Amino acid sequence: MDTILDTAARRPRTLDPKPVAPVLFAHFVLRSSNIQPMIDWYSAVLNMHVVKRTEYICFLTYDEEHHRLGIVNIAGLHAADAKSWGLAHVAYTFRNIGELLSTYRRLKVQGIEPYRPIHHGPTVSLYYHDPDGNSVELQVDVYATKAETAAYFLTDAFGKNPIGVAFDPEVLAAAYEAGAPDAELLRQPDGPAAPGQPR
């Protein structure tokens, strides 16, 4: 009887054929033979904590999402060579330049330093390698709105230099501590275009 009533109450629905964008980038998963150093590194760099760990996998997050990173524990893996295709890096945005520079200083004390500090134009970015050699970008947006950032990609400046200019994060951190305004800290420095992205 319940089945008949349930069926009678149903109304046909149509699946929309139009493309739909996702509402959230949920997580990414890494395979590693180096799981504890990886857990320690992501906990330090992104202020993550372990949600659940088994012998096979560890789930970590830094917010209310159930997990932002999974690390699968597989013995005997080796690093991809520099000519392998695949993911170049993942990126995380901080709220302001102070948060980015505070993170830089905190990590430096722990012996974690960026291998590539670069001002891309729309972002000020610090690139780090995790213990397995994966590249992680920590960044802050230069512009106040996403629309302004998108507009930068259409400028002559970006056309001439789509990579950006290298900078010294220690100099930037010292300028912040000396009271330089955010607008000055976020301004792209003069200099030659940085080489293309290394692994």
Side-chain angles (χ1 to χ4, degrees):
M1 189 68 161
D2 288 343
T3 303
I4 294 170
L5 288 173
D6 288 346
T7 302
R10 291 179 186 168
R11 296 187 177 188
R13 295 182 289 176
T14 303
L15 291 170
D16 193 335
K18 295 194 300 279
V20 178
V23 296
L24 176 75
F25 177 81
H27 64 267
F28 71 106
V29 176
L30 298 170
R31 297 180 303 157
S32 180
S33 299
N34 197 25
I35 191 164
Q36 190 58 53
M38 290 285 279
I39 292 168
D40 294 344
W41 193 88
Y42 280 93
S43 296
V45 172
L46 299 180
N47 197 27
M48 285 187 161
H49 64 272
V50 173
V51 175
K52 177 68 176 177
R53 181 175 179 181
T54 70
E55 284 299 310
Y56 174 67
I57 195 166
C58 182
F59 296 106
L60 301 99
T61 193
Y62 50 73
D63 62 6
E64 70 285 348
E65 187 72 9
H66 44 80
H67 71 287
R68 291 295 188 177
L69 171 64
I71 305 173
V72 180
N73 188 24
I74 303 172
L77 298 177
H78 59 84
D81 66 58
K83 296 196 174 190
S84 297
W85 58 45
L87 183 69
H89 68 270
V90 293
Y92 294 90
T93 301
F94 287 83
R95 280 184 286 259
N96 55 59
I97 190 68
E99 286 189 353
L100 181 67
L101 293 172
S102 295
T103 300
Y104 158 74
R105 275 285 176 76
R106 177 178 61 82
L107 295 178
K108 185 176 180 180
V109 169
Q110 298 178 54
I112 300 171
E113 296 198 51
Y115 72 90
R116 187 178 200 216
I118 187 163
H119 192 307
H120 287 298
T123 66
V124 177
S125 300
L126 301 171
Y127 289 84
Y128 293 82
H129 282 133
D130 75 13
D132 281 359
N134 301 301
S135 185
V136 177
E137 177 186 2
L138 306 183
Q139 68 175 32
V140 63
D141 288 334
V142 169
Y143 297 101
T145 68
K146 298 299 181 188
E148 288 175 284
T149 302
Y152 180 84
F153 284 83
L154 304 178
T155 64
D156 289 341
F158 186 75
K160 290 174 185 170
N161 182 4
I163 301 298
V165 178
F167 71 94
D168 184 338
E170 197 56 44
V171 170
L172 204 63
Y176 179 91
E177 291 172 326
D182 285 5
E184 180 181 320
L185 298 168
L186 292 169
R187 189 177 306 122
Q188 190 175 52
D190 292 330
Q197 180 161 345
R199 182 162 167 69

